[in-house]
Amino acid sequence: TGGHTTEILRLLSCLSESYSPRHYVLADSDKMSEAKIRSFEQKRAETFSKSQFTLDCIPRSREVRQSWISSVVTTLYSILYSLPLTYKRKPDLILCNGPGTCVPVCISAFLLGLLRIKRTIIVYVESICRVETLSLSGKILYYFSDYFIVQWPDLKKKYPKSVYLGQIV
């Protein structure tokens, strides 16, 4: 939501027309991001006439300040909700940047890969505001992502699997 959506849309604005269709997954309570995405896609359609996208909503996996114990339950519910969606969309690539909503989707895609149903490349871009430590999503997806991108050199030192590209958003 908010800043995460702005960051991911900045990244998407650099992608070519070949990255279509795009499937956005939002928390069901996130109306602000839906409006931003629709506006972004409307502008993109002016340049790329064959541009296609979908918007799907899943239950929010974790609310801000939600207790750890209850967030385990809500995250498991989101993963179960995400599995049929991920199976239906069968993405080649998941590009995500930190909101908790990305964790169930990435874990669902990872599970489909383990089951040899569909192999999806997972690219996680840690938010630019994470200078010294990873976000909770980053701490989880560090182990599930194919490419883990950080925007600060200190994070590269702490997390050797990561790829440091400098400030990309």
Side-chain angles (χ1 to χ4, degrees), residues 26 33 37 47-48 55 76 81 118 138 143 149 151 153 165:
L26 317 167
S33 292
I37 291 165
T47 305
F48 303 116
L55 282 168
L76 287 173
Y81 197 93
K118 171 64 177 168
Y143 300 100
I149 299 169
Q151 300 184 61
L165 296 179

Side-chain angles (χ1 to χ4, degrees), residues 59-79:
R60 187 176 290 274
S61 60
R62 183 172 185 267
E63 296 287 348
V64 176
R65 294 179 191 72
Q66 182 178 350
S67 75
W68 291 102
I69 293 170
S70 67
S71 67
V72 170
V73 174
T74 55
T75 300
L76 287 173
Y77 177 67
S78 284
I79 291 169

